[in-house]
Amino acid sequence: MEHINKLSGTHIDILKEIGNIGAGNAATALSKLLNKKIEMAVPYVQIATFDEVMELIGGAEQVVACVYLRIEGDAPGNMFFVLSLAQAERFIRQMTGDETFTFDSHPSELGQSALQELGNILAGSYLSALADFTNLAFYPSVPMLTVDMIGAILQYGLLELSRVGDYAILIDTALYDERRPEDSVNGHFFLLPDPDSFASIFRALGVDLL
Amino acid sequence: MKVVHAPNLIRTSGLGSCVGVVIFDQWKEVAGLAHVMLPDSSLSRSETMNVAKYADTAIEALIELVVQAGGRKGMLKAKMAGGAQMFSFPSKSTDMMRIGARNVEAVRLQLNRFHIPIVAEDVGGNSGRTIEFNPKTAILSIRTVNQGMKEI
């Protein structure tokens, strides 16, 4: 991608800040919603080939619960809220009070729609923080929930990028539930801006892309 | 895009809207796999194009590779899997969102253009797939999250 060579340390820092502000807001919302402490890791900006992206997220075959939104507006892109199945089950049990919920055999509609709503709220708070910070307009699609291989899901985020090159710039922020240190990182926000969106984001923040 | 001889297997994991196409000569026990991401290279906006990504360029290049590795043009057959629609978008779904079905159609068209019969396929649906092909048996094994393993 032609943008990649033009990214300096400052640009990377700005993208990290985007992950920080967006996911920070979402983590606060999640803490309030579940009444428990949710920690957030330092955001990570990864510039990687598509194959490397799959490696970085733990292999394309890993099965996860994911809420996906397509973002239109001033800086189009894709957003994924990804949870391990175990973590998704814990959140669903807590939200619905249904302690028997699992993804294994015929997961209840109610549980699934609770998770979809959770993704909706978190993505909304992520994007509204981003909109405030950049003064850009983001119009998210209706969020879609799926439980499947992460590689198959993230492919949707790579489509626009794949028209321009073989690299993705992935803004990754991990969330974790403080009381569950045994599975240290169990949720991720991935933001995958479309190729042209980087220029819009940097311009909105008063930094040129050269 | 990769070519192997038996006893090696060839695989690709986490296919969503992408299509995995295997072109093989069973008697020579050679097979090649392409991972098609987009239907048409006219969608490309890059100066240097990666032919492996587009159906219209990948199939031709893959045939060439398989022939170079000992496959005979008249004996080539194909199997394919993938092209799922992982998410069902309401109303104003853009063309990009229907990409799975478009990839499948584009691969069919290209195989047809080179007179390569598709002897088996597992396409569409809304699940991700991991596929593995054995050039010795010409069996394509497909794993999905909810339906387990199947062989075509």
Side-chain angles (χ1 to χ4, degrees):
Chain A
M1 172 159 34
E2 66 267 33
H3 295 327
I4 275 191
N5 304 324
K6 298 180 191 163
L7 287 183
S8 68
T10 314
H11 295 124
I12 300 286
D13 284 346
I14 288 174
L15 296 179
K16 275 190 192 161
E17 191 56 19
I18 296 238
N20 206 12
I21 288 174
N25 221 34
T28 308
L30 185 59
S31 291
K32 281 189 192 145
L33 201 68
L34 297 174
N35 195 23
K36 64 159 97 175
K37 200 161 178 194
I38 300 292
E39 297 285 339
M40 192 180 87
V42 176
Y44 201 76
V45 175
Q46 301 166 334
I47 301 173
T49 65
F50 298 160
D51 287 341
E52 284 165 357
V53 168
M54 297 304 166
E55 290 305 310
L56 287 164
I57 55 175
E61 276 189 88
Q62 195 191 157
V63 179
V64 296
C66 176
V67 176
Y68 164 60
L69 298 94
R70 171 76 189 156
I71 306 162
E72 299 293 348
D74 293 336
N78 301 282
M79 195 170 153
F80 300 88
F81 175 52
V82 176
L83 290 172
S84 70
L85 289 189
Q87 182 66 75
E89 282 170 358
R90 282 199 291 273
F91 282 171
I92 289 171
R93 286 174 191 169
Q94 188 162 352
M95 282 184 292
T96 61
D98 172 6
E99 284 302 320
T100 61
F101 182 89
T102 80
F103 282 109
D104 292 342
S105 52
H106 307 294
S108 71
E109 290 275 327
L110 177 70
Q112 296 193 60
S113 95
L115 187 63
Q116 181 148 355
E117 190 48 32
L118 177 71
N120 195 10
I121 292 168
L122 299 187
S125 59
Y126 188 116
L127 286 174
S128 70
L130 216 55
D132 289 346
F133 179 59
T134 57
N135 256 324
L136 296 171
F138 297 100
Y139 306 111
S141 73
V142 175
M144 239 83 43
L145 170 70
T146 191
V147 174
D148 212 308
M149 300 176 190
I150 190 165
I153 296 169
L154 280 191
Q155 264 166 26
Y156 278 85
L158 301 177
L159 289 175
E160 284 295 335
L161 294 162
S162 73
R163 297 171 59 184
V164 180
D166 300 313
Y167 286 88
I169 298 175
L170 183 70
I171 304 167
D172 172 9
T173 314
L175 298 182
Y176 51 99
D177 175 347
E178 203 192 39
R179 275 177 258 165
R180 290 277 186 174
E182 70 273 15
D183 32 28
S184 55
V185 173
N186 34 38
H188 283 269
F189 278 103
F190 293 116
L191 186 64
L192 272 162
D194 286 357
D196 297 335
S197 297
F198 291 99
S200 314
I201 291 170
F202 293 135
R203 204 180 309 121
L205 297 172
V207 181
D208 279 334
L209 193 65
L210 289 178
Chain B
M1 191 155 13
K2 215 172 96 183
V3 174
V4 296
H5 289 93
N8 294 311
L9 306 176
I10 196 165
R11 87 193 296 268
T12 188
S13 52
L15 284 171
S17 58
C18 295
V19 175
V21 193
V22 179
I23 294 180
F24 61 99
D25 178 338
Q26 190 174 357
W27 311 111
K28 294 284 183 185
E29 299 183 356
V30 58
L33 172 72
H35 187 134
V36 170
M37 212 169 171
L38 293 168
D40 194 321
S41 58
S42 66
L43 288 168
S44 172
R45 290 167 47 200
S46 116
E47 287 142 32
T48 52
M49 200 181 66
N50 176 355
V51 296
K53 272 191 320 210
Y54 306 96
D56 64 329
T57 49
I59 303 298
E60 189 167 3
L62 183 63
I63 292 169
E64 199 53 45
L65 277 182
V66 175
V67 168
Q68 272 169 27
R72 295 156 301 171
K73 257 197 179 129
M75 303 299 282
L76 297 180
K77 290 180 176 155
K79 294 192 178 186
M80 68 167 162
Q85 179 153 352
M86 305 294 296
F87 302 96
S88 48
F89 290 87
S91 60
K92 59 168 187 181
S93 52
T94 68
D95 262 7
M96 266 315 201
M97 298 306 169
R98 291 188 47 250
I99 205 80
R102 289 173 60 202
N103 280 336
V104 170
E105 273 322 300
V107 167
R108 273 206 191 107
L109 192 73
Q110 292 301 317
L111 289 170
N112 196 21
R113 183 178 143 214
F114 293 101
H115 309 291
I116 297 180
I118 303 169
V119 291
E121 63 176 42
D122 178 37
V123 297
N126 51 15
S127 300
R129 296 167 170 93
T130 284
I131 62 171
E132 187 170 74
F133 186 79
N134 183 339
K136 184 150 190 88
T137 58
I139 288 174
L140 184 66
S141 309
I142 302 160
R143 194 174 74 78
T144 52
V145 171
N146 297 315
Q147 297 127 45
M149 287 287 291
K150 75 166 139 179
E151 293 184 338
I152 61 170

Coordinates of all heavy atoms in Angstrom, one line a residue, chain A residues 1-4 48-50 158-168 195, chain B residues 37-38 43-50 53-54:
Chain A
M1 N 0.9 -1.2 0.0 CA 0.0 0.0 0.0 C 0.9 1.2 0.0 O 1.8 1.3 0.8 CB -0.9 -0.1 1.2 CG -1.7 1.2 1.5 SD -3.1 0.9 2.5 CE -2.6 -0.4 3.7
E2 N 0.6 2.2 -0.9 CA 1.5 3.3 -1.0 C 1.6 4.1 0.3 O 2.6 4.8 0.5 CB 1.0 4.2 -2.2 CG -0.3 4.9 -2.0 CD -1.4 4.1 -2.6 OE1 -1.4 2.9 -2.6 OE2 -2.4 4.7 -3.1
H3 N 0.5 4.1 1.1 CA 0.6 4.9 2.3 C 1.6 4.4 3.3 O 2.1 5.2 4.1 CB -0.8 4.8 3.1 CG -1.9 5.5 2.3 ND1 -1.7 6.5 1.5 CD2 -3.2 5.2 2.2 CE1 -2.8 6.9 0.9 NE2 -3.7 6.0 1.3
I4 N 1.9 3.1 3.2 CA 2.7 2.5 4.3 C 4.1 3.1 4.4 O 4.6 3.4 5.5 CB 2.8 1.0 4.1 CG1 1.6 0.4 4.7 CG2 4.0 0.4 4.7 CD1 1.5 -1.1 4.8
A48 N 1.0 -5.1 8.7 CA 1.3 -6.5 8.4 C 0.7 -6.9 7.1 O -0.3 -6.4 6.6 CB 0.8 -7.3 9.5
T49 N 1.3 -8.0 6.5 CA 0.6 -8.6 5.3 C -0.6 -9.3 5.8 O -0.7 -9.6 7.0 CB 1.5 -9.6 4.6 OG1 1.7 -10.7 5.6 CG2 2.9 -9.0 4.2
F50 N -1.5 -9.7 4.9 CA -2.7 -10.3 5.4 C -2.4 -11.6 6.1 O -3.1 -12.0 7.1 CB -3.7 -10.6 4.2 CG -4.1 -9.3 3.4 CD1 -4.6 -9.4 2.2 CD2 -4.0 -8.1 4.1 CE1 -5.0 -8.2 1.5 CE2 -4.5 -7.0 3.5 CZ -4.9 -7.0 2.2
L158 N -10.6 -6.9 5.1 CA -9.4 -6.8 4.3 C -9.8 -6.5 2.8 O -8.9 -6.2 2.0 CB -8.6 -8.1 4.4 CG -8.1 -8.4 5.8 CD1 -7.3 -9.7 5.7 CD2 -7.2 -7.3 6.3
L159 N -11.1 -6.6 2.5 CA -11.5 -6.5 1.1 C -11.1 -5.2 0.5 O -10.5 -5.2 -0.6 CB -13.0 -6.7 1.0 CG -13.5 -8.1 1.2 CD1 -15.0 -8.1 1.2 CD2 -13.0 -9.1 0.2
E160 N -11.5 -4.1 1.1 CA -11.1 -2.8 0.5 C -9.6 -2.6 0.4 O -9.1 -2.1 -0.6 CB -11.8 -1.6 1.3 CG -13.3 -1.4 1.1 CD -13.6 -1.0 -0.3 OE1 -12.8 -0.4 -1.0 OE2 -14.7 -1.3 -0.7
L161 N -8.9 -3.0 1.5 CA -7.5 -2.9 1.5 C -6.8 -3.7 0.4 O -5.8 -3.4 -0.2 CB -6.9 -3.4 2.8 CG -7.3 -2.5 4.0 CD1 -7.1 -3.2 5.3 CD2 -6.5 -1.2 4.0
S162 N -7.5 -4.9 0.1 CA -6.8 -5.8 -0.8 C -6.9 -5.2 -2.3 O -6.1 -5.7 -3.1 CB -7.5 -7.2 -0.8 OG -8.8 -7.1 -1.4
R163 N -7.7 -4.3 -2.5 CA -7.7 -3.7 -3.8 C -6.5 -2.8 -4.0 O -6.2 -2.4 -5.2 CB -9.0 -2.8 -4.0 CG -10.3 -3.6 -3.9 CD -11.5 -2.8 -3.8 NE -11.6 -2.0 -5.0 CZ -12.5 -1.0 -5.2 NH1 -13.5 -0.9 -4.3 NH2 -12.6 -0.3 -6.3
V164 N -5.9 -2.3 -3.0 CA -4.8 -1.4 -3.1 C -3.5 -2.0 -2.9 O -2.5 -1.6 -3.4 CB -5.0 -0.3 -2.0 CG1 -3.9 0.7 -2.1 CG2 -6.4 0.4 -2.2
G165 N -3.4 -3.1 -2.1 CA -2.2 -3.7 -1.8 C -2.3 -5.0 -1.0 O -3.4 -5.5 -0.9
D166 N -1.3 -5.4 -0.4 CA -1.3 -6.7 0.4 C -1.0 -6.4 1.8 O -0.7 -7.4 2.6 CB -0.3 -7.7 -0.2 CG -0.6 -8.0 -1.7 OD1 -1.8 -8.3 -1.9 OD2 0.3 -8.0 -2.5
Y167 N -1.1 -5.2 2.3 CA -0.9 -4.8 3.6 C -2.1 -4.3 4.3 O -2.9 -3.6 3.7 CB 0.3 -3.8 3.7 CG 1.6 -4.4 3.5 CD1 2.1 -4.4 2.1 CD2 2.4 -4.9 4.5 CE1 3.3 -5.0 1.9 CE2 3.6 -5.4 4.2 CZ 4.1 -5.5 2.9 OH 5.3 -6.0 2.6
A168 N -2.2 -4.5 5.6 CA -3.2 -3.9 6.4 C -2.6 -3.1 7.6 O -1.6 -3.5 8.1 CB -4.2 -4.9 7.0
P195 N -8.2 2.2 2.8 CA -7.0 2.8 2.4 C -7.0 4.4 2.5 O -6.1 5.0 3.0 CB -6.7 2.3 1.0 CG -7.5 1.1 0.9 CD -8.6 1.2 1.8
Chain B
M37 N -9.5 -13.9 -3.5 CA -10.1 -12.9 -2.6 C -11.1 -12.0 -3.3 O -12.1 -11.6 -2.7 CB -8.9 -12.1 -2.1 CG -9.1 -11.6 -0.7 SD -7.6 -10.8 -0.1 CE -8.4 -10.2 1.4
L38 N -10.9 -11.7 -4.5 CA -11.8 -10.8 -5.2 C -12.0 -11.3 -6.6 O -11.2 -12.0 -7.2 CB -11.1 -9.4 -5.4 CG -10.9 -8.6 -4.1 CD1 -10.0 -7.4 -4.3 CD2 -12.3 -8.1 -3.5
L43 N -10.9 -4.6 -10.2 CA -11.1 -3.9 -8.9 C -9.9 -3.4 -8.3 O -9.9 -2.6 -7.4 CB -11.7 -4.9 -8.0 CG -13.2 -5.4 -8.2 CD1 -13.5 -6.6 -7.4 CD2 -14.1 -4.2 -7.9
S44 N -8.7 -3.8 -8.9 CA -7.5 -3.4 -8.3 C -7.2 -1.9 -8.5 O -7.4 -1.4 -9.6 CB -6.3 -4.2 -8.9 OG -5.1 -3.7 -8.5
R45 N -6.7 -1.3 -7.5 CA -6.3 0.1 -7.6 C -4.8 0.3 -7.4 O -4.3 1.4 -7.1 CB -7.0 0.9 -6.5 CG -8.5 1.1 -6.8 CD -9.3 1.6 -5.6 NE -8.6 2.8 -5.0 CZ -8.8 3.2 -3.8 NH1 -9.6 2.6 -3.0 NH2 -8.1 4.3 -3.3
S46 N -4.1 -0.8 -7.4 CA -2.7 -0.8 -7.1 C -1.9 -0.8 -8.4 O -2.3 -1.4 -9.4 CB -2.3 -1.9 -6.1 OG -1.4 -2.8 -6.7
E47 N -0.7 -0.3 -8.4 CA 0.2 -0.3 -9.6 C 0.8 -1.6 -9.8 O 0.8 -2.1 -11.0 CB 1.3 0.8 -9.4 CG 0.7 2.2 -9.5 CD 1.5 3.2 -8.6 OE1 2.7 3.0 -8.3 OE2 0.8 4.1 -8.1
T48 N 1.2 -2.3 -8.8 CA 1.7 -3.6 -8.9 C 0.7 -4.6 -8.4 O 0.3 -4.6 -7.3 CB 3.0 -3.8 -8.1 OG1 2.7 -3.4 -6.8 CG2 4.2 -3.0 -8.7
M49 N 0.2 -5.4 -9.3 CA -1.0 -6.2 -9.0 C -0.5 -7.6 -8.6 O 0.4 -8.2 -9.2 CB -1.9 -6.4 -10.2 CG -3.2 -6.8 -9.9 SD -4.2 -6.9 -11.4 CE -3.4 -8.3 -12.1
N50 N -1.1 -8.1 -7.5 CA -0.8 -9.5 -7.0 C -1.8 -10.4 -7.7 O -3.0 -10.5 -7.4 CB -1.0 -9.5 -5.5 CG -0.8 -10.9 -4.9 OD1 -0.7 -11.8 -5.7 ND2 -0.8 -10.9 -3.6
K53 N -4.6 -12.9 -6.2 CA -5.8 -12.5 -5.4 C -7.1 -12.5 -6.2 O -8.2 -12.6 -5.7 CB -5.6 -11.1 -4.9 CG -4.9 -11.1 -3.6 CD -4.9 -9.7 -2.9 CE -4.7 -8.5 -3.8 NZ -4.0 -7.4 -3.1
Y54 N -7.0 -12.3 -7.5 CA -8.2 -12.1 -8.4 C -8.5 -13.4 -9.2 O -7.6 -14.0 -9.8 CB -7.9 -10.9 -9.3 CG -7.5 -9.7 -8.6 CD1 -6.2 -9.4 -8.5 CD2 -8.4 -8.9 -8.0 CE1 -5.8 -8.2 -7.8 CE2 -8.0 -7.7 -7.3 CZ -6.7 -7.4 -7.2 OH -6.3 -6.3 -6.5

